[in-house]
Amino acid sequence: MKYFIQIFGCQMNKSDAERIASLLDSLGYNAVEQKEKADFIFIVSCSVRQSAENRVYGLMSQIKKLKAQSPKLKVVLTGCMAMRKEVVKNLKDVDVFLDIKDLKTLPKLLNTKSEQAEIETYFSIKPKYESGFTAYVPIMTGCNNFCTYCIVPYVRGREESRQPQEVLNEVQCLLDNGYKEIILLGQNVNSYSPKLRTQGSGFRAEIINDFPDLLEAVATLKGDYWLRFLTSHPKDFSDKLIKVIKNNKNITEYVHLPIQAGDDTILRKMNRKYTVKHFKTLVKKIRNAIPGVSISTDIIVGFPGETKKLFESSAKTFEEIGFDMAYLNKYSARKGTKSYDLKDEVSDMEKKRRELVLTKLLRKSGLDYNKQFKGQTLEVLVGKKGKDDMWFAKTRTYKVVKFKSKKSLLGQFVKIKITKAGSFGYDCELF
Ligand code: 5AD
Ligand code: SF4
């Protein structure tokens, strides 16, 4: 049997796909690179914005044709869309809708037996990591925050934290296998809270109660590696966490801190539970404590009730903070969320205009941040090869650098000298 996995959306979906792949391999299935050659197509879907769901609808029309040619083809849909009743009924060509938390039932659904040892939770399925040097390690799933625009709490359910020992074991195993970059994942890592508190028998004697404890325990595992984490909620980002980042050299100087809006009226309507003042103070604290830190954000434009004036206030905050990187999102009404009932009154054209305003500001703040590194020598992790001996790598601060080299450097830490700083990355040469 041959399978193909199509992934949409966030890193959590990528990580889920790695667990699906390992389970299928253990059932004796073989991965193929083209969906046309597959007996099973797995879709790991995203519902965060309508555009993400539309991509799945686009794929479904291709699948319809494939099914007409090969009637035995089976389609399994998991991820956010599989949890949405109103979506499920539109996807007639899907054979199985799978809640990712029920992944361990897949062998039964496919009428086969897994060679993996008895699976306790979906987290305990050993992933088939896509990369040989960067690994995503989920530490929790779900979200309890109910931001009014967001579908995640409805489709991913309540927060569930993974056992610390299991996280530590997975990371230790990765480090033993030479992995260089570990990215801890959760919708809101700051509310990590393991139910069963583990006495760290193998690794540390302390009890792991919260995210800073876990991060520190992971950061003190032996090895030459970088440790990152995604994503943080500004209301829960503690002084203890800042201290842990500051004191552990394996943790990179990079914080992704979604602001979502830069105006208190909109933040309140979004149920974000912090103010602009709180956010600014937090950014200042992080920047003061961690020299050279890069802070990136997510921000939504055109949320219901965001008048031109309120947007201007939001853009002013965005400019004042001067983010080093930002992911700009046009508001997309999601059925089932609280804000769906509010009138989506900002036109698409106006959302695009606002996005452009923020892009301009970002180009400037990104460049201002990046300029400080011009002429410096930095260590980077090489992640991808381009054309004509070009290599792409990431800095500790999650910036992209590119340089030329005839040597094969994939997955290695190398030293580079920055020759030119742009808004979103650097040109450099191998040192
Ligand atoms: N519309 C637009 N952007 C959204 N996001 C989440 N829900 C929506 C929505 N309904 C964005 C947020 C979040 C990121 C992952 O996606 O900015 O941080
Ligand atoms: Fe969605 Fe808010 Fe939870 Fe993030 S914190 S996943 S934006 S509800």
Side-chain angles (χ1 to χ4, degrees):
M1 286 290 183
K2 301 190 196 85
Y3 73 88
F4 174 84
I5 306 183
Q6 178 81 57
I7 312 163
F8 296 93
C10 63
Q11 282 93 345
M12 193 62 99
N13 277 6
K14 280 190 190 155
S15 168
D16 288 348
E18 293 180 339
R19 282 180 163 71
I20 296 171
S22 79
L23 192 55
L24 290 171
D25 285 0
S26 77
L27 300 174
Y29 287 45
N30 294 310
V32 288
E33 304 261 308
Q34 290 156 302
K35 52 182 162 310
E36 290 76 10
K37 293 192 176 151
D39 305 296
F40 281 89
I41 297 179
F42 282 76
I43 306 167
V44 189
S45 62
C46 168
S47 290
V48 166
R49 282 171 289 274
Q50 186 58 44
S51 54
E53 289 196 347
N54 289 348
R55 264 175 248 138
V56 171
Y57 290 126
L59 173 65
M60 290 318 293
S61 55
Q62 289 177 42
I63 285 179
K64 201 179 186 63
K65 286 183 201 143
L66 290 177
K67 277 197 149 188
Q69 290 159 14
S70 353
K72 280 194 188 147
L73 173 66
K74 292 271 178 273
V75 178
V76 182
L77 183 115
T78 184
C80 300
M81 284 172 86
M83 310 304 290
R84 308 220 317 135
K85 277 196 199 101
E86 65 273 32
V87 168
V88 163
K89 69 174 189 301
N90 294 332
L91 297 169
K92 303 269 187 274
D93 287 304
V94 172
D95 300 281
V96 179
F97 292 96
L98 178 73
D99 179 346
I100 191 70
K101 284 194 207 145
D102 295 333
L103 183 57
K104 63 177 185 175
T105 64
L106 189 65
K108 212 168 151 201
L109 284 171
L110 300 177
N111 255 332
T112 40
K113 264 202 143 154
S114 167
E115 280 167 20
Q116 286 212 13
E118 189 53 34
I119 302 160
E120 220 177 290
T121 70
Y122 109 91
F123 280 143
S124 44
I125 297 171
K126 196 175 156 35
K128 178 185 175 186
Y129 302 101
E130 200 198 302
S131 155
F133 49 90
T134 291
Y136 293 112
V137 177
I139 62 161
M140 59 187 300
T141 179
C143 181
N144 296 350
N145 286 312
F146 289 94
C147 300
T148 55
Y149 50 82
C150 185
I151 196 72
V152 169
Y154 302 92
V155 292
R156 287 265 176 186
R158 296 293 66 72
E159 288 169 0
E160 272 175 49
S161 296
R162 199 174 169 194
Q163 281 310 301
Q165 196 62 55
E166 200 180 88
V167 174
L168 288 162
N169 289 346
E170 184 175 340
V171 177
Q172 183 64 68
C173 183
L174 286 161
L175 300 179
D176 291 345
N177 283 292
Y179 275 74
K180 301 281 193 322
E181 183 181 40
I182 307 294
I183 307 178
L184 303 182
L185 291 183
Q187 251 81 36
N188 174 17
V189 290
N190 309 88
S191 50
Y192 176 78
S193 160
K195 252 193 249 140
L196 247 170
R197 294 191 169 155
T198 309
Q199 232 45 66
S201 54
F203 294 94
R204 288 171 64 90
E206 288 90 339
I207 293 169
I208 293 171
N209 283 319
D210 56 17
F211 180 60
D213 290 344
L214 178 73
L215 188 66
E216 187 154 52
V218 176
T220 41
L221 294 174
K222 290 240 155 16
D224 185 18
Y225 63 97
W226 290 353
L227 179 60
R228 309 187 190 276
F229 56 94
L230 294 168
T231 290
S232 294
H233 196 304
K235 78 176 164 57
D236 301 321
F237 205 102
S238 63
D239 290 353
K240 184 175 168 185
L241 179 57
I242 297 176
K243 221 168 163 184
V244 168
I245 303 171
K246 180 184 159 79
N247 293 340
N248 289 279
K249 73 167 185 30
N250 286 332
I251 306 173
T252 59
E253 299 77 24
Y254 172 65
V255 174
H256 183 62
L257 200 62
I259 188 167
Q260 310 296 9
D263 181 89
D264 285 344
T265 311
I266 299 297
L267 283 174
R268 218 173 305 119
K269 281 190 167 191
M270 287 179 162
N271 191 31
R272 288 291 288 175
K273 302 194 180 100
Y274 55 83
T275 59
V276 169
K277 191 168 165 227
H278 169 87
F279 192 94
K280 281 184 172 170
T281 308
L282 178 58
V283 167
K284 213 180 257 172
K285 264 200 271 184
I286 297 172
R287 283 181 171 157
N288 284 341
I290 307 160
V293 69
S294 158
I295 299 183
S296 64
T297 202
D298 291 345
I299 188 163
I300 296 174
V301 294
F303 184 81
E306 190 186 61
T307 57
K308 280 196 176 168
K309 212 166 150 211
L310 289 180
F311 169 70
E312 272 159 30
S313 142
S314 203
K316 189 164 163 266
T317 304
F318 187 84
E319 185 173 19
E320 281 166 2
I321 293 172
F323 289 102
D324 308 311
M325 184 57 200
Y327 303 91
L328 316 175
N329 299 301
K330 293 193 284 289
Y331 172 71
S332 168
R334 312 310 297 134
K335 198 170 177 187
T337 62
K338 277 224 168 116
S339 70
Y340 186 79
D341 301 328
L342 304 172
K343 205 168 154 231
D344 183 9
E345 69 249 287
V346 183
S347 70
D348 202 45
M349 222 168 81
E350 176 61 12
K351 283 178 190 162
K352 276 194 191 129
R353 186 193 71 82
R354 293 180 190 183
E355 193 180 36
L356 221 71
V357 171
L358 296 187
T359 306
K360 264 196 195 150
L361 294 174
L362 177 63
R363 279 190 184 282
K364 184 171 179 313
S365 59
L367 187 61
D368 285 348
Y369 173 85
N370 288 343
K371 270 197 307 211
Q372 62 177 314
F373 295 101
K374 199 173 162 212
Q376 282 193 22
T377 306
L378 299 179
E379 190 175 45
V380 296
L381 177 61
V382 184
K384 215 164 83 184
K385 188 172 187 314
K387 278 187 199 152
D388 304 329
D389 300 324
M390 186 65 86
W391 293 89
F392 296 92
K394 286 260 170 72
T395 64
R396 286 176 66 94
T397 52
Y398 217 51
K399 299 277 177 179
V400 180
V401 302
K402 58 180 200 292
F403 60 90
K404 285 204 163 185
S405 170
K406 290 216 177 294
K407 283 191 238 159
S408 173
L409 299 169
L410 193 69
Q412 291 181 35
F413 285 126
V414 298
K415 281 225 163 102
I416 51 97
K417 188 171 176 188
I418 294 176
T419 51
K420 191 179 159 202
S423 295
F424 301 114
Y426 315 97
D427 287 352
C428 55
E429 53 198 35
L430 209 54
F431 192 63

